[in-house]
Amino acid sequence: RMILQALSNYYARKAADPDGGIAPEGFEYKEIPFVIVLERDGTFVRIEDTRRQVGKQLRAKAFLVPQSEKRTVGVKAFLLWDNSEYVFGIDTKGKPDRVVEQCKAFRKRLDDFVVDDVGVTAVKVFLQRDSTGDLDATQFASEIREGNPFMSFRLNEDACLVCERKAVVDSICQIPEGDGKAICLVTGKVDV
């Protein structure tokens, strides 16, 4: 049991270190090619391209994002990041009805996420209106419409994504209260 606790403590230290390369529980590192930059009031500012030339190919910057869920044929939206079909409602595969479902699922997932954070509020406001005109005014419009890349959000005043803001991370990392608590053999803490 002591070895497991020591390993758990080591994981926690590495996950807390931004240069540790390990994502905290509930998160993963994901390459996000395009970031939608917003003002605090949800006003669109621009789309940033995070890709850089690595050898002969473009590689997107990896960000800490809420963990994705496996999806095969079902519609499952990710929290505060996803592909352009979910974020903008852009039909890239000739399935307009499905894209409407995806876009609704993305907005619902965000609406169901309750946290007091100005970044999350800005994203919710941005998503309440048709933002395809904002996309079409950028130099990346055709590439995003054709490639269906992953996208996320950032406040214009921040260096980090909205999903990397402290209130968001803390909210996702919280252990839910409830029945069925026990002492974890790894951490030695009460867990569910």
Side-chain angles (χ1 to χ4, degrees):
R1 182 174 139 179
M2 289 175 58
I3 293 172
L4 291 176
Q5 287 177 353
L7 286 172
S8 174
N9 290 337
Y10 176 72
Y11 169 82
R13 284 192 313 275
K14 292 292 278 181
D17 178 5
D19 298 323
I22 295 177
E25 191 171 337
F27 287 85
E28 66 181 292
Y29 284 100
K30 197 69 165 180
E31 290 186 9
I32 306 287
F34 297 102
V35 175
I36 301 164
V37 181
L38 305 173
E39 294 293 355
R40 285 175 161 250
D41 65 0
T43 303
F44 175 82
V45 176
R46 67 183 168 279
I47 292 181
E48 289 181 346
D49 183 354
T50 73
R51 300 168 300 169
R52 301 292 174 257
Q53 195 72 37
V54 178
K56 293 184 179 185
Q57 55 181 289
L58 285 175
R59 294 293 307 257
K61 181 178 177 183
F63 293 92
L64 186 66
V65 296
Q67 198 160 29
S68 61
E69 297 182 37
K70 294 207 184 298
R71 55 186 182 203
T72 51
V73 294
V75 173
K76 290 184 182 176
F78 304 152
L79 181 62
L80 291 165
W81 69 281
D82 216 312
N83 63 45
S84 61
E85 287 184 337
Y86 280 86
V87 174
F88 279 108
I90 296 169
D91 181 14
T92 63
K93 298 174 185 143
K95 298 180 180 180
D97 294 339
R98 179 178 170 83
V99 170
V100 168
E101 275 185 64
Q102 291 171 316
C103 201
K104 283 181 183 175
F106 186 74
R107 285 161 175 77
K108 181 171 179 359
R109 177 83 190 265
L110 189 58
D111 286 341
D112 292 345
F113 181 63
V114 180
V115 65
D116 184 19
D117 181 77
V118 68
V120 172
T121 302
V123 174
K124 287 180 180 181
V125 169
F126 172 76
L127 293 174
Q128 287 175 352
R129 60 186 181 79
D130 179 11
S131 52
T132 54
D134 294 329
L135 170 64
D136 290 337
T138 71
Q139 67 190 43
F140 307 112
S142 61
E143 191 173 357
I144 289 170
R145 285 183 170 281
E146 293 167 15
N148 198 24
F150 285 130
M151 308 182 82
S152 192
F153 303 89
R154 179 177 71 77
L155 287 181
N156 197 25
E157 65 197 52
D158 287 350
C160 67
L161 296 181
V162 170
C163 59
E164 295 173 312
R165 290 174 59 90
K166 182 174 177 9
V168 175
V169 172
D170 289 350
S171 180
I172 291 171
C173 289
Q174 273 184 346
I175 297 173
E177 298 283 332
D179 295 337
K181 292 186 178 186
I183 296 177
C184 177
L185 292 176
V186 175
T187 64
K189 296 178 182 175
V190 175
D191 206 345
V192 285

